[in-house]
Amino acid sequence: MRGMTLRLALAALTFACSLSGTAFGQAAASAPASAASHPRIGLVLSGGGARGLAHVGVLKALERAHVRIDAIAGTSMGAIVGGLYASGMSAEQLETELRRIDWDALFATRVARPFLSQRRKEEDFEISTGLEFGVHDGQLSAPQGALSSRGLELLLRRLTLPVRHVDDFDRLPIPFRAVATDMETGKPVILSHGDLAVALRSSMSVPGVFAPTEVDGHLLGDGGLVDNLPVDIARAMGVDEVIVINIGTPLSGRDALSSVVGLSEQMIAILIEQNVERSIATLGPHDLLLGPDLGKLTSSDFGRAAELIKIGDDYAQAQAGRLAAYAAPAPEYAQWLAAHVQQPMEPTPLLAVKFEGSLQTNPGRFEAKLQSQAGELFDTKKAEADARRLAASGDYTSADYRLVPGPAGETLVFDLQDKPWGPNYLRAGLDLHADFSGHSGFDVKLSHNHHWLTENGTEWRNFVQVGERPAIFSEIYHPLWRNIDDSSDWFTAAYIAGDRQHRTAYATDGTEVAQFLRSTGQAGLDFGLPFSRLGELRAGFVHLTTSTTPTLLSAAWTGPTQAQVWQEDGLRVRGVVDQLDYVNFPTSGYRLEGESVVGTRRLRRSEHMARGSVEGTVVDTFGRSTFELHGAVKLSDENAQLAVDQYTLGGFQQLSGYRPDQLSGNAVLFGRLNWYMRLSQTPVFARGFFVGASLEAGNAWDDRSEMSLAHLRGGGSLYLGADTGIGPMYLGLTYAPRGELGVALFIGRP
């Protein structure tokens, strides 16, 4: 009787407000039907990207208020939170899982760099851009999303494993529906059965951010485009009343509409807001609309998960009086809660490991290297590590897994989706340097890599550079065995390369005394072995032809005045260990690289030739500050007969304050201590802004017998930097006591 009285009172208040022209910021809610009638309550969760994390806070308040949820319908992030809650996870479990996620790593466009093969890591040094295109069926194509959903898919897979055998979402602890958009017809698709993890991922396929998914022949995008607040879908599940949580992103003001990106975001927000308003208009006097005020928090603020959850919790707690009207009797709620507990996953023996989905690759080649093996118990951590290992090849947009039941266990199936723009991959880059003193140069770079020419994993890699230093490179890389493990991944690689560069000779006082055009061409054959993900060792034969032609000689020049051509044949050994987390502005890890060539040189006569180099980098972060220590030693036995020395120093962070290649010699010693700190503001299409400084010391000598620490020269820089989609950028001040004070603009790797 008390509930009926309260309902009539609230209904009268709503009617009075409507007559007086007053509107509630939220839909006024009257109490549900009396406890005796046991109304079925549906929960509706809207999309909104990171803002949807506030749903978890509201769920915590609903649990404290003993609100029994009989059905859930959600869209996008609301589908993810709602689907996981429907699977049996509690609000506290959801909060624990979501707060410990590294969101930057979750949405990274590729597997963390230390887990890549050395071959993929080396591509970062060729072209440091993160932009990748491809040629497929004779057409140039590009990724369908700016971010990778691979990490999200693995997270959803792990969290839904306890209900992996439930293919009818009505059989979940709480019946559930997710909403997606058919990207071909523009109509809503209601996901009520199938693979729960796939359904949740499909509902959050934000166009331009994540690639769409294909389910039952439909190409699915984010459900928010057609129904961001699926009230009607919840009602269709047979509920009597709905509790609706709307956290959608509000429309932007005029100040945000000054760019194409801002206008595009506003256009999508308008479309979503219109379908949200239509849903809100259908709410009745017995329904409850909740709308936490998330202020300026945006759909991309995943890193503020704890704050978003707390805002949702605090807001809903302030609505405790309204929520109390929906509380179930204690015995009824206890019974519902017991049925809502997610059952732990039982130990599962693996009958087999299989691969499905890929038409362009041979993933079975890596089976022996996987941690998950037939005959062992299934281990989630091992399966996720194996999925990352497969994704590290760079050939898949998706590397998911699932368990298929059998009579005496389950089969672990890795679902691999080939990149639509593969297997011919293109990357473009730009290197540019200018010191505002008239010295500048640029290079445009393009790389092509054709993967999986054979089932062994043969690759053809090409590189072209045009500009200040033209270069070309082509290599056929052929693994010797079709199936591999850590000790049998031997390969052979045949390559040709050539480059041309202008070299300037300087007097000791820094004046230019000569200019030369140096051209090199080489061909080689290597045999090698990658050692796990740490690095690679290769050895082989190399032939090198070098020519040096003077283009400008001053009266102060005392060296050779005629063109020189010489050839070298030798045995080359190269080893590299690379565990840097990023190639640009790394925050942790190390890299060690060494190379040695021994053989003969033919100029006027045949003579012994030897040269070698060792370079190392160690990086660590303390608080917000990152310190990078880099050192290099390079030695060659070139003699005074050659017009141009083998090695050079000079330029930004290669002995700042000196001009590029100003110091040259056949023996080089160089060290650099670099400090940088990432700024809080994150630019568009970039990993971050940085402020930093470097201290450098080094020198070059004609002969290694002249090397001396007492003769080292110093330099340093103070700079602003950014790790962008086209590579790193720097703007800084440079200075050297024996060099110059200058301003440097640098795009590309120093």
Side-chain angles (χ1 to χ4, degrees):
M1 186 67 181
R2 181 179 179 182
M4 183 64 72
T5 302
L6 180 59
R7 174 175 295 183
L8 291 174
L10 289 174
L13 179 60
T14 303
F15 180 70
C17 288
S18 65
L19 290 178
S20 63
T22 303
F24 286 105
Q26 301 166 342
S30 54
S34 63
S37 62
H38 301 299
R40 288 174 51 81
I41 298 175
L43 181 65
V44 180
L45 305 180
S46 78
R51 291 166 63 93
L53 297 173
H55 288 316
V56 178
V58 178
L59 286 174
K60 292 175 64 178
L62 292 177
E63 289 183 347
R64 285 194 297 269
H66 287 190
V67 178
R68 187 194 70 183
I69 303 301
D70 297 286
I72 300 176
T75 298
S76 195
M77 194 63 188
I80 289 178
V81 173
L84 295 177
Y85 193 70
S87 74
M89 294 184 70
S90 68
E92 182 179 357
Q93 288 174 314
L94 274 171
E95 180 180 22
T96 300
E97 290 288 349
L98 295 174
R99 290 185 64 167
R100 69 185 183 187
I101 292 173
D102 181 347
W103 293 96
D104 287 339
L106 189 77
F107 295 135
T109 54
R110 67 176 184 180
V111 173
R113 191 171 180 276
F115 294 96
L116 299 177
S117 68
Q118 190 58 39
R119 190 159 181 81
R120 298 285 85 85
K121 292 175 185 175
E122 290 301 299
E123 292 175 352
D124 293 339
F125 291 90
E126 283 182 353
I127 297 180
S128 54
T129 174
L131 303 177
E132 182 182 77
F133 303 89
V135 177
H136 187 78
D137 293 335
Q139 295 183 341
L140 187 67
S141 56
Q144 296 173 300
L147 299 179
S148 171
S149 62
R150 191 183 305 112
L152 177 62
E153 290 163 359
L154 290 179
L155 173 68
L156 296 176
R157 178 64 59 193
R158 174 169 59 84
L159 297 181
T160 58
L161 277 175
V163 292
R164 64 190 180 280
H165 299 318
V166 178
D167 58 4
D168 181 352
F169 297 166
D170 282 334
R171 294 177 49 230
L172 292 170
I174 302 176
F176 171 71
R177 299 289 186 272
V179 183
T181 300
D182 189 318
M183 298 303 291
E184 294 181 286
T185 66
K187 295 181 179 180
V189 175
I190 313 305
L191 300 170
S192 60
H193 64 279
D195 188 320
L196 179 61
V198 173
L200 302 184
R201 158 68 178 88
S202 300
S203 185
M204 197 176 167
S205 299
V206 183
V209 179
F210 297 126
T213 62
E214 186 170 346
V215 178
D216 297 334
H218 297 279
L219 194 65
L220 301 183
D222 195 281
L225 297 174
V226 290
D227 196 352
N228 201 49
L229 198 64
V231 173
D232 55 337
I233 295 171
R235 293 198 195 283
M237 298 173 73
V239 300
D240 301 308
E241 295 149 348
V242 291
I243 296 176
V244 180
I245 308 174
N246 180 31
I247 48 80
T249 304
L251 299 181
S252 302
R254 177 173 293 192
D255 58 341
L257 305 181
S258 58
S259 67
V260 173
V261 174
L263 287 170
S264 300
E265 291 177 346
Q266 184 81 334
M267 177 185 66
I268 295 174
I270 290 172
L271 295 174
I272 293 175
E273 187 61 24
Q274 288 177 346
N275 73 59
V276 167
E277 290 178 355
R278 288 194 295 268
S279 295
I280 291 176
T282 68
L283 297 180
H286 302 164
D287 303 322
L288 176 64
L289 175 62
L290 302 175
D293 183 4
L294 303 180
K296 295 184 179 180
L297 291 169
T298 70
S299 59
S300 61
D301 283 328
F302 286 95
R304 301 172 72 175
E307 183 179 352
L308 285 158
I309 293 172
K310 186 177 186 305
I311 291 175
D313 191 2
D314 291 345
Y315 166 82
Q317 188 61 28
Q319 310 295 320
R322 302 170 71 196
L323 296 179
Y326 291 82
E332 181 181 326
Y333 184 77
Q335 183 180 9
W336 174 87
L337 191 63
H340 180 247
V341 175
Q342 190 180 76
Q343 299 301 316
M345 183 177 174
E346 297 291 334
T348 302
L350 292 180
L351 298 176
V353 176
K354 294 184 178 180
F355 308 90
E356 293 183 359
S358 177
L359 301 177
Q360 300 175 359
T361 73
N362 173 30
R365 180 174 188 270
F366 306 105
E367 184 174 354
K369 299 186 73 170
L370 301 183
Q371 297 182 35
S372 303
Q373 294 293 321
E376 299 179 356
L377 292 178
F378 171 77
D379 185 290
T380 305
K381 292 183 179 180
K382 289 183 179 180
E384 290 185 357
D386 292 336
R388 284 193 295 268
R389 177 184 286 271
L390 292 168
S393 68
D395 294 302
Y396 311 115
T397 58
S398 176
D400 196 3
Y401 68 89
R402 54 191 167 89
L403 290 170
V404 179
E410 300 190 68
T411 297
L412 176 61
V413 178
F414 289 97
D415 288 315
L416 306 171
Q417 182 178 343
D418 294 328
K419 286 182 176 178
W421 60 96
N424 285 283
Y425 300 105
L426 300 174
R427 300 172 75 187
L430 173 69
D431 283 354
L432 182 149
H433 66 88
D435 59 11
F436 295 90
S437 297
H439 300 91
S440 62
F442 75 94
D443 293 296
V444 177
K445 302 185 289 188
L446 178 67
S447 73
H448 162 259
N449 203 335
H450 192 315
H451 293 188
W452 295 99
L453 288 168
T454 68
E455 290 192 348
N456 285 26
T458 304
E459 296 183 9
W460 182 28
R461 184 165 68 184
N462 300 286
F463 174 80
V464 175
Q465 178 170 293
V466 179
E468 182 184 25
R469 297 186 175 184
I472 188 170
F473 174 83
S474 184
E475 179 190 60
I476 292 291
Y477 174 94
H478 178 66
L480 297 180
W481 316 118
R482 185 177 185 277
N483 298 308
I484 60 171
D485 55 34
D486 287 334
S487 62
S488 64
D489 195 9
W490 291 90
F491 66 87
T492 181
Y495 62 90
I496 58 172
D499 68 83
R500 175 175 291 181
Q501 58 179 297
H502 291 276
R503 291 278 295 272
T504 300
Y506 295 85
T508 55
D509 61 358
T511 58
E512 299 181 5
V513 295
Q515 291 183 352
F516 299 87
L517 178 63
R518 179 168 180 166
S519 302
T520 63
Q522 63 177 315
L525 177 65
D526 287 339
F527 294 89
L529 176 70
F531 29 96
S532 187
R533 298 186 297 265
L534 290 177
E536 176 186 276
L537 178 66
R538 58 167 66 191
F541 300 94
V542 60
H543 170 81
L544 177 70
T545 299
T546 304
S547 68
T548 301
T549 304
T551 57
L552 182 63
L553 300 176
S554 72
W557 173 251
T558 60
T561 59
Q562 301 297 319
Q564 294 179 321
V565 179
W566 67 93
Q567 296 181 334
E568 297 175 350
D569 291 290
L571 173 66
R572 185 183 77 128
V573 178
R574 179 180 183 271
V576 59
V577 175
D578 188 341
Q579 286 292 285
L580 295 175
D581 59 349
Y582 298 98
V583 72
N584 305 315
F585 301 101
T587 60
S588 66
Y590 55 90
R591 176 181 169 90
L592 179 65
E593 178 182 2
E595 180 175 294
S596 176
V597 181
V598 177
T600 59
R601 180 188 299 113
R602 296 183 298 278
L603 181 54
R604 295 185 178 89
R605 57 186 176 82
S606 181
E607 60 184 8
H608 178 268
M609 174 272 297
R611 62 174 172 268
S613 63
V614 176
E615 295 188 62
T617 302
V618 178
V619 184
D620 206 352
T621 299
F622 305 91
R624 295 183 61 193
S625 293
T626 298
F627 295 91
E628 177 193 51
L629 182 62
H630 174 80
V633 178
K634 301 180 180 181
L635 303 172
S636 177
D637 66 350
E638 262 90 347
N639 55 48
Q641 293 179 337
L642 301 181
V644 177
D645 295 321
Q646 181 69 30
Y647 307 115
T648 64
L649 277 178
F652 182 69
Q653 293 201 359
Q654 296 298 313
L655 211 53
S656 300
Y658 291 88
R659 279 167 278 175
D661 303 331
Q662 181 174 342
L663 305 178
S664 65
N666 298 315
V668 162
L669 186 62
F670 175 71
R672 178 181 65 235
L673 177 62
N674 202 1
W675 163 85
Y676 45 87
M677 178 176 67
R678 183 173 178 175
L679 302 179
S680 57
Q681 183 181 4
T682 300
V684 179
F685 303 123
R687 176 175 147 239
F689 282 130
F690 300 84
V691 59
S694 67
L695 292 176
E696 303 149 40
N699 207 344
W701 297 268
D702 286 335
D703 190 271
R704 62 177 179 267
S705 63
E706 302 170 354
M707 295 178 67
S708 171
L709 295 178
H711 296 156
L712 293 180
R713 301 177 181 226
S717 67
L718 179 65
Y719 59 88
L720 291 173
D723 191 5
T724 74
I726 62 172
M729 297 184 180
Y730 303 84
L731 177 62
L733 295 173
T734 61
Y735 174 72
R738 298 169 62 182
E740 301 173 332
L741 174 66
V743 178
L745 171 65
F746 204 98
I747 300 176
R749 289 188 51 77

